[in-house]
Amino acid sequence: MRMKLTARRINLCTEKPASMADREYHLRETRVVFSRVDPRGTLATRERGIVLASSWAAQVTNAIRFVFASYGRLPKERHIGLDRDVRHPEWTGRILDALGRPDRYGYNIAVTGSKGKGSHAILTAAILERLGYRVGLFTSPHLVDFLERIRVNGEMIPEPDFVRIADKVRHVVDRLPVPPDQYIGPVGIVAAMAALWFKEQQTDFNLFELGRGARHDDVNQIVHQGVVITPIFPEHLDRLGPTWEDVVIAKMGILTEDVSWAVSSQQAPRAMAAMRPYVGRVGDFAYMNDTFQVDVMPDEPSGTYLIRASYQGHVHSARIDERLLSYPDNVGLSLVAAAQAIAHRASHQGDRRTHMPIAVDLSDLILPGRLHVVQESPTVVVDGAIHAVNAAFVRRFVERRQAGQTGRVCAVLSLPDDKDAEGVVGTLASVVDEFIFTTASNPHLQYSRDLVQLAANHGIAAKSVPEVERAIADAVTSAAANDLVLCVGTQSFVGDALRFFRVATGSIWRTRMGDGSR
């Protein structure tokens, strides 16, 4: 039996759950976890394996330090202000130029919006992969492992490739004449790394999730031909504002001269009014509930559901299970995005075939940290809801899950001062019996509000348990087998919860995951 060592970096970097431009980083102690070590191997063999695994973990950590080095050399106050004043995404463009523009070798789809960017990127990538294409996926931030940010066909980039690609980019970055009062955005460096690896991997399509904006977002420097726009809210007014219209204008920067098509979720009237002058310039613009519609059909014999998107005379469909049932619009929009990408890419390649309807099975897909069932008996669900709109997805999930059930519902919430605690608590109050308020391992997050009193105002029992692991353990150990435990909150907390339950995040496909997946 051949010895196999697996090195896992636990919590390499914790950071604020906003876009990368205003995040500080905190590199934590690297811990290497070994599994399936052959006990029959000689001591010398096992020691060599441990040294090798430790070496890769250390090299990945050093590569991550490089990613944040430019950002970290400026004092915190130099990162404060409107993105248009403090960010310089052109440096990411210069990195890509020096690398030979690897982003021009693939067909790229960029995703912007205020809610659901990551889920739309994952869903669109998964649909294209199920159709037989090789697909790159760039998302941010990560939940457990930094390498989750770069994937091909749902699989995380291997450590040796991450280290090698980082070294190539480092040689370029070290030669750039960045002024002392500017920095290269960490997310831009990682996006350039992703583009380089996707080129090596000869991907057919690539999905790139942008940060909070677009016009001044480093990832927007990636040349892209297609665009996905998720719902836009009046968020990050201190960075993109000061008005809601300013937020929309910032995000519409994603519609660059290379874009030939865009698909959008249904928007609030005020947001759509600000969007209209920009989307009107796109040759092929699809808008939910206007140019395409989405519906859900249950398949009772199989216990699954069919999400259908009707667009341009075709009905595209995806089979899902209960875990994705809260996201029908996300799935439907992603179906239309995948159809647009395939049609436009074929057209550019001289293929004049007509649009064909898509039919895929996504029942094996996992959206990490999004209504993610990580344990049964009691059932534990992890989700990143931080405002009322997202919390509504959680509430609907609980309502379906608890229909006819007698179990109690306990919600462990981690909502820093900059998150919509009133919205989340108020939305969940009708389906929760008890709230436990906690923090997160990220040392940069602030928790100063009296959320126990907020819960009391809604007539719900609550307590504060600041230590994350203790808060989750208290909820789980106090729960009966038929109870439901929700772990809901900021992205750093989502990562903490996934680590607590030892959930594997190396793949977006359930059958490819380890024992921690469900």
Side-chain angles (χ1 to χ4, degrees):
M1 175 176 155
R2 185 176 179 182
M3 179 182 71
K4 182 175 181 179
L5 284 170
T6 302
R8 232 173 1 113
R9 296 158 317 285
I10 305 298
N11 210 18
L12 280 171
C13 175
T14 56
E15 54 203 18
K16 293 184 180 180
S19 67
M20 293 294 293
D22 67 342
R23 291 176 189 154
E24 297 184 45
Y25 70 95
H26 178 66
L27 288 171
R28 300 172 65 85
E29 177 184 2
T30 300
R31 293 187 287 158
V32 181
V33 179
F34 304 100
S35 63
R36 289 189 290 175
V37 180
D38 182 6
R40 294 175 294 178
T42 66
L43 178 60
T45 299
R46 280 179 282 168
E47 286 180 344
R48 282 197 298 271
I50 290 172
V51 169
L52 178 62
S54 299
S55 174
W56 279 123
Q59 290 182 66
V60 170
T61 302
N62 287 334
I64 295 171
R65 288 196 177 101
F66 148 68
V67 166
F68 287 92
S70 179
Y71 178 88
R73 67 181 174 80
L74 293 184
K76 183 178 180 180
E77 56 268 19
R78 299 302 294 271
H79 299 298
I80 298 174
L82 294 169
D83 280 2
R84 57 180 174 266
D85 297 327
V86 300
R87 298 185 72 168
H88 295 275
E90 65 272 13
W91 290 113
T92 296
R94 293 184 65 173
I95 293 172
L96 291 164
D97 289 339
L99 291 170
R101 274 290 168 179
D103 50 325
R104 289 195 177 274
Y105 286 82
Y107 191 97
N108 300 322
I109 305 163
V111 185
T112 191
S114 301
K115 177 180 74 73
K117 294 190 298 292
S119 63
H120 282 85
I122 294 171
L123 285 164
T124 306
I127 291 166
L128 290 167
E129 181 188 343
R130 280 294 192 243
L131 292 170
Y133 296 101
R134 190 162 176 79
V135 187
L137 174 62
F138 172 84
T139 57
S140 183
H142 64 280
L143 294 174
V144 176
D145 192 320
F146 195 94
L147 275 59
E148 296 166 20
R149 298 172 185 235
I150 306 175
R151 301 178 186 267
V152 166
N153 281 7
E155 305 300 307
M156 198 165 63
I157 183 173
E159 291 175 323
D161 284 353
F162 182 83
V163 171
R164 177 178 55 80
I165 295 293
D167 194 50
K168 285 187 177 182
V169 175
R170 188 200 309 262
H171 287 308
V172 169
V173 170
D174 287 347
R175 294 196 297 269
L176 292 178
V178 182
D181 61 341
Q182 297 180 17
Y183 66 90
I184 303 174
V187 71
I189 293 175
V190 183
M193 291 170 59
L196 196 56
W197 194 56
F198 296 161
K199 177 188 174 184
E200 289 185 359
Q201 294 294 305
Q202 299 181 325
T203 53
D204 299 302
F205 295 97
N206 303 308
L207 277 294
F208 284 88
E209 177 191 357
L210 273 63
R212 63 174 166 247
R215 195 171 302 278
H216 303 285
D217 191 292
D218 296 79
V219 185
N220 202 42
Q221 295 290 311
I222 296 286
V223 171
H224 49 277
Q225 296 77 27
V227 163
V228 173
I229 305 171
T230 74
I232 299 176
F233 302 143
E235 57 159 359
H236 300 301
L237 296 178
D238 59 331
R239 301 291 186 170
L240 303 176
T243 69
W244 192 353
E245 286 74 14
D246 290 321
V247 173
V248 174
I249 291 169
K251 294 182 185 293
M252 289 303 96
I254 196 173
L255 300 174
T256 63
E257 61 182 11
D258 296 290
V259 172
S260 57
W261 62 269
V263 296
S264 173
S265 300
Q266 187 170 12
Q267 304 288 344
R270 184 173 173 182
M272 191 62 212
M275 285 174 58
R276 194 165 284 113
Y278 299 93
V279 299
R281 304 170 191 167
V282 180
D284 193 346
F285 177 64
Y287 185 51
M288 182 175 289
N289 294 332
D290 180 10
T291 54
F292 71 94
Q293 288 75 38
V294 176
D295 61 32
V296 183
M297 285 185 59
D299 184 359
E300 294 181 2
S302 68
T304 61
Y305 303 83
L306 207 61
I307 306 295
R308 304 187 306 178
S310 304
Y311 180 60
Q312 293 186 341
H314 292 293
V315 178
H316 307 291
S317 62
R319 185 171 299 279
I320 64 167
D321 65 7
E322 185 188 34
R323 292 169 301 125
L324 292 183
L325 188 56
S326 295
Y327 304 103
D329 289 347
N330 300 36
V331 176
L333 187 143
S334 298
L335 283 166
V336 174
Q340 289 286 73
I342 292 168
H344 280 266
R345 179 175 178 265
S347 175
H348 293 158
Q349 293 179 343
D351 186 344
R352 298 301 178 182
R353 290 174 297 178
T354 58
H355 296 207
M356 298 295 290
I358 290 173
V360 293
D361 188 339
L362 299 182
S363 57
D364 190 42
L365 179 67
I366 293 174
L367 295 179
R370 298 165 180 89
L371 292 178
H372 193 161
V373 178
V374 298
Q375 177 179 299
E376 299 285 358
S377 299
T379 300
V380 179
V381 178
V382 179
D383 189 83
I386 53 174
H387 47 64
V389 176
N390 286 69
F393 288 109
V394 180
R395 184 187 63 209
R396 288 194 290 270
F397 175 88
V398 175
E399 289 169 345
R400 287 196 307 272
R401 189 88 176 190
Q402 295 301 102
Q405 301 280 343
T406 58
R408 299 178 74 257
V409 179
C410 174
V412 183
L413 301 186
S414 176
L415 299 167
D417 291 348
D418 61 340
K419 303 309 174 189
D420 180 19
E422 174 63 48
V424 174
V425 172
T427 302
L428 296 181
S430 62
V431 294
V432 169
D433 297 293
E434 179 188 12
F435 287 114
I436 298 178
F437 295 103
T438 189
T439 61
S441 62
N442 185 345
H444 303 292
L445 300 179
Q446 300 297 317
Y447 295 83
S448 62
R449 296 176 293 185
D450 186 355
L451 300 186
V452 172
Q453 181 58 52
L454 174 62
N457 294 342
H458 288 275
I460 306 298
K463 63 181 179 180
S464 174
V465 182
E467 205 277 313
V468 177
E469 291 191 357
R470 183 186 157 201
I472 297 174
D474 282 0
V476 174
T477 56
S478 301
N482 62 338
D483 287 350
L484 175 62
V485 176
L486 305 174
C487 295
V488 175
T490 189
Q491 288 291 90
S492 294
F493 171 71
V494 168
D496 294 336
L498 294 180
R499 279 186 291 272
F500 180 90
F501 292 102
R502 300 184 181 276
V503 176
T505 56
S507 175
I508 63 173
W509 300 106
R510 180 170 48 179
T511 53
R512 301 180 194 170
M513 299 277 260
D515 295 337
S517 66
R518 286 164 180 84

